[in-house]
Amino acid sequence: MNKNLFIIGSLLFASSMLFSCSDDNDGPDEPGKDDTSTTIDFESATLGSLGYNNQLKYSVDGVSFNNNYTAEYDSWDGFAFSCLGSDKYVSFNPDQYMVYSSTGEIKKDAGHDSDKFAIGYGSDYSGWPTVTFDKPVKVKSLWLNNTAYVYNTIKNGDHFARKFEKDDWFLLTIEGYAGDNDAEPVYTKEFYLADYRSEFQAYWYIVSDWTLCDAFVNSDSAVRKLVFKMTSTDNGDYGMNTPSYFALDDLKFEVTE
């Protein structure tokens, strides 16, 4: 095979992997069906002087984002909110609140087509980032990205996590629940934030830009809750070594009643 054609094909394949969430579905939403949709863009979230807020219980348009903040340790899980982006990770604060951005320097309007966005963080121990809706909704789409912390850890390794190698992956699983107290989800969507499973290194990728996740379809059941869980091939005695963060923006949904 012509070498140039092989490289081009590899890049096209990798691009197609980035812009999808794997799931059994019956195709995308029909065009012209978004007249009654609402999009949460986080622009009303209040940020501190440093450009982030890790203790905000954010609610808007009938949608709530969980946050559990412990002042004694300045620790949190659930969702924090930020406007910061960078391609570097230097120190835990404030860099854990930066979405990955290839600007090469700190950027203060790093959301998808807007300034602000959410950072999800959690674990099996602390609980996972959760979005709760006041009414049943059909989720249409959302935009996802890695944080600068996760991107650099996967690419280079650090004191806690190793550099990714062949067959490694970092997966975000989105579970939709019909009721707030339901034990089982009515659907799940998978989005690989990093994927090194291919035999060909040219196909390996770490998500490094805002990427549309539109696996949600018209036939999906209405939900009252979304739970975002993360898993990785890099694990230790105390759980996952890969930092369990992701960035979220422009959550689009339609109320069904």
Side-chain angles (χ1 to χ4, degrees), residues 181-224:
N181 296 317
D182 287 5
E184 297 295 330
V186 295
Y187 62 68
T188 60
K189 312 293 179 180
E190 294 185 341
F191 184 92
Y192 281 91
L193 289 161
D195 192 348
Y196 282 36
R197 294 176 298 168
S198 173
E199 292 293 327
F200 302 101
Q201 190 169 346
Y203 296 169
W204 300 354
Y205 66 83
I206 310 171
V207 173
S208 58
D209 201 357
W210 286 109
T211 304
L212 178 65
C213 176
D214 60 353
F216 308 92
V217 295
N218 289 327
S219 62
D220 283 334
S221 299
V223 297
R224 291 284 302 273

Side-chain angles (χ1 to χ4, degrees), residues 84-88 98-110 208:
L84 303 175
S86 177
D87 65 349
K88 297 177 177 61
M98 293 185 183
V99 68
Y100 185 85
S101 172
S102 59
T103 56
E105 57 186 19
I106 296 177
K107 180 181 180 181
K108 293 187 177 180
D109 55 351
S208 58

Side-chain angles (χ1 to χ4, degrees), residues 17-53:
M17 292 294 290
L18 286 174
F19 286 85
S20 66
C21 295
S22 60
D23 186 74
D24 291 330
N25 60 57
D26 56 2
D29 294 327
E30 296 176 23
K33 293 290 186 179
D34 293 330
D35 296 344
T36 59
S37 293
T38 299
T39 300
I40 306 299
D41 61 8
F42 305 105
E43 292 306 289
S44 63
T46 302
L47 305 183
S49 60
L50 296 177
Y52 65 88
N53 190 338

Side-chain angles (χ1 to χ4, degrees), residues 99-171:
V99 68
Y100 185 85
S101 172
S102 59
T103 56
E105 57 186 19
I106 296 177
K107 180 181 180 181
K108 293 187 177 180
D109 55 351
H112 170 254
D113 289 340
S114 62
D115 291 342
K116 302 173 186 178
F117 57 92
I119 295 283
Y121 169 74
S123 68
D124 286 328
Y125 173 76
S126 64
W128 294 104
T130 301
V131 178
T132 306
F133 302 91
D134 288 351
K135 298 179 180 180
V137 305
K138 289 289 189 77
V139 178
K140 298 294 184 177
S141 63
L142 45 85
W143 290 78
L144 298 166
N145 197 358
N146 275 305
T147 66
Y149 181 20
V150 171
Y151 181 94
N152 282 282
T153 297
I154 290 174
K155 189 173 182 64
N156 304 311
D158 61 22
H159 295 299
F160 304 101
R162 57 175 173 76
K163 175 182 176 179
F164 268 25
E165 300 173 345
K166 185 184 178 303
D167 295 326
D168 281 326
W169 47 262
F170 179 44
L171 175 66

Side-chain angles (χ1 to χ4, degrees), residues 54-123:
N54 64 357
Q55 49 190 294
L56 175 64
K57 295 185 181 296
Y58 184 66
S59 296
V60 63
D61 293 333
V63 187
S64 299
F65 297 79
N66 71 321
N67 173 274
N68 303 298
Y69 177 74
T70 303
E72 182 180 359
Y73 304 106
D74 190 30
S75 63
W76 64 280
D77 60 75
F79 286 100
F81 304 89
S82 176
C83 66
L84 303 175
S86 177
D87 65 349
K88 297 177 177 61
Y89 177 78
V90 179
S91 59
F92 192 59
N93 286 318
D95 291 3
Q96 65 171 311
Y97 305 104
M98 293 185 183
V99 68
Y100 185 85
S101 172
S102 59
T103 56
E105 57 186 19
I106 296 177
K107 180 181 180 181
K108 293 187 177 180
D109 55 351
H112 170 254
D113 289 340
S114 62
D115 291 342
K116 302 173 186 178
F117 57 92
I119 295 283
Y121 169 74
S123 68

